[in-house]
């Protein structure tokens, strides 16, 4: 039976004594070592169950020189994109017994220390960078590293897994043009992913002989910036009939601005977001959005990281360059877009 709060917590020495084996043999059992006979393994497991022994993860890691820990750095815990990313990673990492620790680089920015330093000090076996890193050592990091999503900086030797942001932006523009829209605006924010989406939007508009209408780029890709940028967009180009937002969170800000202006979606103006997050599928929003398949990005990122940890380097380039994988996005059409004349 597990010990009560008043009882002394059993130790590994108690388990060894109950099982009639050495402490080191108990450690081998906890590490799932094959160097233990079935008889002694059964005795140790019986002792663990009878005593209610709970092994210390830290002690087990030290004994086996493994932490089975993965550090994940994000740059905005409010962005739902990271939820799907982590779900995809979890599907792959749960089986081999890895656990994930997440840190927001901006949450404790006042400490002037990257969360990556804390991860490395804790002995993580791998890193997933889901946010932009300000300072990256020239030689990269001392553990296997995968960058999830297009980022301003990719550490030397790290693998990159991202949705094809340029292809996704073109899907958004093509969809709106197919509905007859020619006066299409774009609200954007900072970061490499937003930059790629903006550049692809501008290229698609120019190729179609249309005038790009871009607002934003220096602020965050959040709801407040979506509100601010959409107000500026409509002040500069009040004839705009459709808006493509850099992500779903910014699209929420656009919706807030339109609501205050008394403009109906999609009767007066159409909106397309990006990420196809859980927000986009909410019944009262019904937001047309580019599905960046973030769960797939997470799955592939985790698979590449495990391959690195296990000493495999699939598709690695020469001189230690990392693998680059682009996941093709798809468009999910919902109720926020309609023909330019207001018809469904």
């Amino acid at each position: 039976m597990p010990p009560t709060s008043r009882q002394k917590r059993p130790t590994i020495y108690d388990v060894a004594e109950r099982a009639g084996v050495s402490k080191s043999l108990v450690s081998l059992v906890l590490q799932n070592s094959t160097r233990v006979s079935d008889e002694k393994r059964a005795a140790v497991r019986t002792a663990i169950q009878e005593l209610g022994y709970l092994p210390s993860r830290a002690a087990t890691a030290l004994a086996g020189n493994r932490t089975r820990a993965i550090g994940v750095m994000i740059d905005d815990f409010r962005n739902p994109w990271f939820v799907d990313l982590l779900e995809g990673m979890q599907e792959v990492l749960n089986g081999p017994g890895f656990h994930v620790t997440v840190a927001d680089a901006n949450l404790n920015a006042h400490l002037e220390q990257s969360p990556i330093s804390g991860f490395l000090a804790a002995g993580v076996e791998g890193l997933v960078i889901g946010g932009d890193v300000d300072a990256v050592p020239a030689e990269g990091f001392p553990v296997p590293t995968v960058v999830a999503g297009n980022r301003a900086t990719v550490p030397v030797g790290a693998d990159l897994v991202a949705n094809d942001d340029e292809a996704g932006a073109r899907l958004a523009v093509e969809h709106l043009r197919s509905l007859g829209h020619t006066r299409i605006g774009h609200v954007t924010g900072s970061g490499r992913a937003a930059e790629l989406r903006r550049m692809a939007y501008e290229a698609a508009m120019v190729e179609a002989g249309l005038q790009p209408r871009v607002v934003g780029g220096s602020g965050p890709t959040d709801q407040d910036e979506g509100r601010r940028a959409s107000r500026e967009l409509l002040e500069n180009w009040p004839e705009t009939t459709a808006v493509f937002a850099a992500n779903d969170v910014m699209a929420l800000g656009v919706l807030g601005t339109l609501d205050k202006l008394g403009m109906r979606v999609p009767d007066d103006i159409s909106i397309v977001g990006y990420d196809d997050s859980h927000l986009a599928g909410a019944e009262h929003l019904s937001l047309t959005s580019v599905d960046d398949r973030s769960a797939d990005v997470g799955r592939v990122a985790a698979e590449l990281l495990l391959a690195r940890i296990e000493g495999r380097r699939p598709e690695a380039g020469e001189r230690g360059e990392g693998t680059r994988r682009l996941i093709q996005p798809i468009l999910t059409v919902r109720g926020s877009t309609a023909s330019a004349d207001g018809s469904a």
Side-chain angles (χ1 to χ4, degrees):
M1 294 291 291
T4 65
S5 58
R6 293 186 179 182
Q7 292 176 321
K8 179 183 176 182
R9 180 175 178 175
T11 67
I12 193 172
Y13 296 98
D14 296 324
V15 174
E17 182 179 357
R18 174 68 67 92
V21 299
S22 66
K23 169 185 170 293
S24 59
L25 191 139
V26 175
S27 295
L28 289 175
V29 173
L30 293 174
Q31 297 166 42
N32 293 319
S33 172
T34 58
R35 294 183 294 160
V36 182
S37 68
D38 292 342
E39 180 182 359
K40 290 185 177 180
R41 187 185 307 277
V44 169
R45 288 178 174 171
T46 298
I48 288 174
Q49 183 176 9
E50 291 176 351
L51 293 171
Y53 173 68
L54 297 174
S56 163
R57 176 176 286 172
T60 303
L62 287 173
N65 198 30
R66 296 288 300 274
T67 61
R68 306 198 81 79
I70 304 298
V72 180
M73 192 200 76
I74 63 177
D75 54 16
D76 187 357
F77 68 92
R78 297 166 299 183
N79 189 335
W81 182 83
F82 293 114
V83 175
D84 293 335
L85 175 78
L86 292 170
E87 286 180 355
M89 288 182 57
Q90 188 178 36
E91 289 182 22
V92 175
L93 296 174
N94 276 358
F98 282 85
H99 64 280
V100 173
T101 301
V102 182
D104 185 333
N106 292 327
L107 192 60
N108 293 313
H110 63 286
L111 299 178
E112 298 182 352
Q113 183 179 18
S114 168
I116 293 178
S117 300
F119 287 147
L120 296 176
V124 297
E125 296 189 39
L127 290 171
V128 173
I129 299 175
D132 286 315
V133 184
D134 291 332
V136 176
E139 69 279 9
F141 296 107
V143 297
T145 304
V146 177
V147 175
N150 284 304
R151 304 297 166 192
T153 304
V154 177
V156 174
D159 295 327
L160 170 68
V161 184
N163 129 84
D164 190 336
D165 291 295
E166 294 175 282
R170 286 182 173 275
L171 283 177
V173 175
E174 289 167 6
H175 171 64
L176 291 171
R177 287 188 58 223
S178 73
L179 294 173
H181 294 280
T182 57
R183 293 167 291 181
I184 306 167
H186 180 50
V187 293
T188 186
S190 58
R192 180 59 176 166
E195 179 185 18
L196 290 172
R197 295 169 192 178
R198 173 188 56 77
M199 291 190 301
Y201 155 83
E202 291 175 331
M205 292 288 284
V206 170
E207 289 166 11
L210 304 176
Q211 176 193 9
R213 307 159 181 241
V214 180
V215 177
S218 59
T221 50
D222 61 13
Q223 192 170 344
D224 289 340
E225 182 65 6
R227 278 192 290 264
R228 187 207 65 76
S230 56
R231 284 196 302 269
E232 182 179 341
L233 174 71
L234 293 173
E235 287 171 0
N236 293 340
W237 296 285
E239 71 280 8
T240 299
T241 64
V243 178
F244 166 43
N247 64 14
D248 290 347
V249 179
M250 292 197 82
L252 283 179
V254 177
L255 286 166
T257 293
L258 298 177
D259 183 62
K260 287 187 176 180
L261 294 175
M263 300 180 71
R264 299 168 300 166
V265 176
D267 297 337
D268 300 323
I269 191 167
S270 290
I271 302 179
V272 176
Y274 205 113
D275 291 342
D276 197 25
S277 63
H278 298 303
L279 292 173
E283 185 176 356
H284 66 287
L285 289 180
S286 190
L287 178 67
T288 295
S289 183
V290 178
D291 182 355
D292 60 1
R293 299 170 58 195
S294 49
D296 289 333
V297 171
R299 279 187 284 270
V300 175
E303 289 167 358
L304 287 174
L305 193 63
L306 285 181
R308 289 265 193 161
I309 291 173
E310 295 169 0
R312 296 180 286 112
R313 292 285 302 278
E315 301 179 19
E318 297 178 359
R319 300 183 305 279
E321 293 97 333
T323 298
R324 186 171 186 263
R325 299 267 187 92
L326 286 181
I327 307 297
Q328 290 304 305
I330 56 179
L331 182 72
T332 303
V333 178
R334 297 190 179 91
S336 67
T337 50
S339 297
D341 60 7
S343 61

